[in-house]
Amino acid sequence: MSNIYESAANTLGLFNSPCLAKVELRVTCKGISDRDALSKPDPCVLIKMQSHGQWLEVDRTEVIRSSISPTFSKVFTVDFYFEEVQRLRYELYDISSNHNGIKEADFLGAMECTLGQIVSQRKLTKPLLKQGSTVSKSFIMVTAEELTGNDDYVELSFSARKLDDKDFFSKSDPFLEIFRMNDDDTLQLVHRTETVMNNLNPVWKTFKTSLNSLCSGDHDRPLKCTVWDWDSNGKHDYIGEYQATFKEMRGAMDGRQVQWECINPKYQIKKKNYKNSGIVILNQCKIIKMHSFLDYIMGGCQIQFTVAIDFTASNGDPHNSCSLHYIHPYQPNEYLKALVAVGEICQDYDSDKMFPAFGFGAQIPPDFKVSHDFAVNFNEENPECAVSLQFVQNQLQENVEQPKVTCIKSHRQAWMKPLSSRTTGDQRIQGVVEAYQTCLPKLQLYGPTNIAPIIQKVASSASQEMHTKEAMQYFILLILTDGVITDMADTREAIVQASHLPMSIIIVGVGSADFSDMQMLDGDDGILRSPKGEPCLRDIVQFVPFRNFKHGSPAELAKTVLAEVPNQVVDYYNNKGIKPKVPSEFESSRTFAP
């Protein structure tokens, strides 16, 4: 991620800044040209936002196999700002069935527009431009719909029985599509299930969709549901359809089943004894209240912030001014800049303001054996870092000399803070800063760069919290490292296991190393898998190189690395069905640091 991402994310509303409205965008393509005479394209659309003259990918649709006129089920949600020009770019690619990567995909065309154009027209249809800005015969249509205040989701489980058999040598391969009937009598795809192969009695996977997407908040709005027999050539065979409403679906909320006859109108006319082409069954309908990040924070959820610092020899001798760990008399090093930038935000959501800090890759006293998860304060029983009395006295003395501000003596330029935020009882992130500075001369920097042990250590604490089944503690691990990790397989396994826990991981690459291999840990480019092939349950890792923010404000780094955390917190608790506590349930027993 970079400054470009931060600007685009601000424009798209990823930082929860005030906006005029939220808008859902849906994409359909028509008449895609066949590049391969033997097969149809497997299209996928990327959406990009322009920032500082450059385009940044924000999201992408699913891949639809063998289709020249795909209707994508992926919905893009963006914030609409009337006072800004929000430039969007849609890029269409043919993704080979052998891989899902964009780098090797065939570029089929692009369309540029503004969000204002889409909103004002509601449906914007434009031709796709090929390389060299030549107009193709393919078109892309983007539909906009304002997202109402109904943020609830509905969870639906469908199955079917005795569907018509459309295949000669095997049974049908059915999938179900649900469309919403719009006010202008057009149909909008809400969800497309997976295909169940060779089965006339399929059970489709449970899925979730917003009530707004399903029925625009209108429980009586007609829904058209169509069952198809999937074919590899993209010419799917029609099995039948039925019409429903969400009001009818709610009949499955109390454990009962709701059933519809799947009707093929042609068979109904031609066949005298025709009854139906099968029965579609709704086995479960559950309304899920979607709580916000602030719901959980105001309900007492604490952000448990932990720091892990790289003390491998590749950082250089701390006594040398070229070292990444060099303590400059007037300017903090990159480790300290990243630590404070992120820590000063997280500390506001932790009541005791004391944070565990660990190191890895160093030989530590007294026997100087290599450790990859040692406490920076050398207190393994209590790794939380408190501000020393001497540190407080130094601050108070500085305040006498400079009554308006206070600072750490060795970092005057970077650590200026109002005195009101630094009382003698305030532990805050400066306890970690002091512990780092104190331990550095006592260590022998060594190696290798292993981060799996520290992930496992924090995951152990998060696992205990998970068993409480309450939204009281969410763990954020900040890992600061100067190079590519050497235990990638173990790290992937640790991250996959941690994705099941109330935990997020932020990795900041310090220095000028090549961090390209580290990008795979960030799930933005695909789903991270363990060496055994197990996928991450959630995307919990955010990786950024510090050099992208070297000449900017530390706040820019903090915004970027913390941008995904609120959604990660909400996704975890919502997926677990854990509701935030009501403030009155915890206020009487909650204790804050001064």
Side-chain angles (χ1 to χ4, degrees):
M1 304 295 180
S2 67
N3 293 11
I4 301 168
Y5 171 79
E6 181 208 347
S7 179
N10 269 317
T11 305
L12 286 172
L14 298 184
F15 296 142
N16 300 318
S17 53
C19 65
L20 185 62
K22 287 187 179 295
V23 177
E24 288 185 338
L25 302 178
R26 295 175 172 84
V27 182
T28 299
C29 295
K30 299 291 183 183
I32 301 176
S33 302
D34 291 341
R35 295 176 64 90
D36 186 348
L38 301 178
S39 63
K40 294 180 180 179
D42 302 326
C44 173
V45 173
L46 274 63
I47 181 173
K48 296 184 176 183
M49 168 68 73
Q50 189 180 63
S51 179
H52 299 295
Q54 299 188 50
W55 293 105
L56 174 79
E57 179 185 346
V58 177
D59 210 340
R60 65 181 66 175
T61 67
E62 75 276 17
V63 178
I64 296 182
R65 301 298 179 190
S66 302
S67 179
I68 60 173
S69 296
T71 297
F72 299 97
S73 61
K74 172 73 175 183
V75 179
F76 304 104
T77 303
V78 298
D79 285 353
F80 171 63
Y81 295 88
F82 177 78
E83 68 280 9
E84 296 182 10
V85 178
Q86 297 167 270
R87 300 189 184 279
L88 301 175
R89 177 180 171 89
Y90 292 85
E91 294 181 354
L92 178 64
Y93 289 89
D94 180 8
I95 306 290
S96 168
S97 59
N98 298 327
H99 56 79
N100 280 322
I102 290 295
K103 293 182 179 179
E104 300 177 24
D106 293 326
F107 175 76
L108 300 182
M111 183 272 285
E112 295 180 12
C113 63
T114 67
L115 183 57
Q117 289 173 330
I118 302 173
V119 171
S120 62
Q121 298 182 37
R122 296 194 65 181
K123 288 184 180 180
L124 178 66
T125 302
K126 295 182 70 174
L128 291 166
L129 301 181
K130 297 181 179 179
Q131 298 285 5
S133 297
T134 58
V135 179
S136 71
K137 296 181 180 179
S138 306
F139 287 82
I140 184 169
M141 182 175 72
V142 184
T143 305
E145 182 177 23
E146 182 178 357
L147 189 63
T148 65
N150 189 347
D151 295 329
D152 290 347
Y153 275 65
V154 60
E155 187 175 270
L156 302 171
S157 299
F158 283 95
S159 63
R161 68 170 184 265
K162 296 182 179 180
L163 294 176
D164 285 353
D165 193 352
K166 295 291 184 178
D167 296 333
F168 291 108
F169 302 107
S170 63
K171 297 178 181 178
S172 294
D173 308 317
F175 67 92
L176 172 67
E177 289 185 327
I178 300 175
F179 294 85
R180 183 189 70 227
M181 184 75 73
N182 294 322
D183 293 334
D184 59 359
D185 293 331
T186 59
L187 295 174
Q188 177 61 60
L189 177 65
V190 174
H191 183 76
R192 180 187 293 118
T193 70
E194 77 284 4
T195 300
V196 178
M197 305 300 289
N198 196 31
N199 197 327
L200 301 181
N201 301 290
V203 177
W204 291 292
K205 292 180 180 178
T206 300
F207 66 92
K208 288 192 297 186
T209 185
S210 71
L211 275 177
N212 185 73
S213 292
L214 181 64
C215 60
S216 301
D218 179 2
H219 292 196
D220 292 313
R221 182 177 293 273
L223 305 172
K224 181 182 178 181
C225 306
T226 308
V227 181
W228 299 88
D229 170 31
W230 179 85
D231 283 329
S232 59
N233 62 6
K235 296 181 179 179
H236 310 306
D237 295 321
Y238 175 80
I239 293 178
E241 65 184 60
Y242 64 94
Q243 186 168 298
T245 64
F246 180 62
K247 184 177 182 179
E248 295 172 355
M249 292 181 177
R250 290 179 60 182
M253 291 180 62
D254 55 2
R256 297 180 299 170
Q257 291 181 337
V258 180
Q259 302 182 2
W260 296 270
E261 287 187 310
C262 186
I263 302 298
N264 186 323
K266 290 184 178 180
Y267 289 177
Q268 199 172 35
I269 296 173
K270 292 181 179 179
K271 297 183 178 181
K272 291 183 179 180
N273 298 323
Y274 176 79
K275 291 185 177 180
N276 57 59
S277 295
I279 302 295
V280 178
I281 306 161
L282 177 60
N283 300 291
Q284 174 185 290
C285 175
K286 183 194 300 183
I287 296 179
I288 302 171
K289 174 67 177 176
M290 299 303 292
H291 299 284
S292 70
F293 176 66
L294 283 180
D295 285 338
Y296 287 101
I297 293 301
M298 297 178 71
C301 183
Q302 300 280 292
I303 299 298
Q304 298 296 325
F305 179 62
T306 302
V307 181
I309 302 173
D310 183 338
F311 289 106
T312 56
S314 56
N315 285 279
D317 183 354
H319 297 93
N320 189 315
S321 61
C322 295
S323 171
L324 292 171
H325 280 303
Y326 179 67
I327 304 298
H328 194 280
Y330 299 110
Q331 184 176 350
N333 59 37
E334 292 186 8
Y335 279 99
L336 286 171
K337 285 181 179 179
L339 166 62
V340 174
V342 179
E344 285 197 332
I345 292 177
C346 291
Q347 69 185 3
D348 289 337
Y349 304 98
D350 186 346
S351 61
D352 65 9
K353 313 298 183 188
M354 296 179 63
F355 312 105
F358 298 95
F360 58 91
Q363 295 175 324
I364 63 173
D367 53 7
F368 285 92
K369 291 183 179 180
V370 177
S371 174
H372 297 291
D373 59 354
F374 64 91
V376 171
N377 64 2
F378 300 114
N379 184 348
E380 297 299 330
E381 298 297 323
N382 183 16
E384 293 184 331
C385 299
V387 178
S388 69
L389 178 61
Q390 182 63 46
F391 179 84
V392 175
Q393 290 174 342
N394 288 344
Q395 283 194 342
L396 293 176
Q397 180 61 36
E398 290 253 344
N399 186 57
V400 171
E401 297 171 3
Q402 300 182 28
K404 293 184 179 180
V405 294
T406 185
C407 62
I408 300 176
K409 282 187 176 181
S410 59
H411 302 105
R412 294 178 186 272
Q413 294 179 356
W415 310 98
M416 307 295 277
K417 294 290 177 184
L419 180 61
S420 59
S421 68
R422 298 180 185 258
T423 62
T424 56
D426 190 357
Q427 316 271 315
R428 303 181 79 82
I429 197 63
Q430 298 304 339
V432 180
V433 172
E434 186 186 9
Y436 163 76
Q437 294 172 323
T438 302
C439 82
L440 199 54
K442 303 176 183 178
L443 303 174
Q444 179 63 51
L445 275 58
Y446 206 71
T449 308
N450 294 346
I451 66 173
I454 190 62
I455 295 175
Q456 294 164 349
K457 181 183 283 285
V458 176
S460 177
S461 298
S463 179
Q464 297 176 22
E465 170 66 15
M466 180 185 69
H467 294 306
T468 66
K469 297 182 180 180
E470 292 186 344
M472 295 308 294
Q473 292 187 92
Y474 191 92
F475 293 77
I476 295 179
L477 171 60
L478 172 64
I479 300 175
L480 306 173
T481 180
D482 81 315
V484 177
I485 59 177
T486 52
D487 63 340
M488 182 63 77
D490 290 341
T491 296
R492 286 164 54 198
E493 178 68 31
I495 291 172
V496 169
Q497 297 307 313
S499 70
H500 295 262
L501 304 174
M503 179 176 172
S504 295
I505 302 170
I506 298 168
I507 305 176
V508 178
V510 176
S512 57
D514 180 5
F515 292 111
S516 56
D517 289 344
M518 300 285 279
Q519 298 287 353
M520 70 173 295
L521 300 179
D522 191 326
D524 290 348
D525 294 328
I527 299 176
L528 177 69
R529 296 181 180 271
S530 71
K532 299 176 183 178
E534 180 184 355
C536 260
L537 183 65
R538 301 180 297 125
D539 177 13
I540 65 169
V541 178
Q542 178 83 332
F543 170 78
V544 296
F546 183 85
R547 59 174 172 261
N548 289 353
F549 305 89
K550 197 168 185 177
H551 303 294
S553 166
E556 295 176 0
L557 169 68
K559 283 184 178 180
T560 300
V561 299
L562 294 173
E564 296 180 8
V565 169
N567 286 335
Q568 290 170 352
V569 172
V570 171
D571 286 347
Y572 172 79
Y573 289 121
N574 277 330
N575 289 336
K576 292 287 184 180
I578 299 176
K579 298 178 181 179
K581 284 193 171 185
V582 178
S584 59
E585 296 178 9
F586 68 90
E587 282 180 344
S588 59
S589 60
R590 193 178 185 188
T591 303
F592 286 90

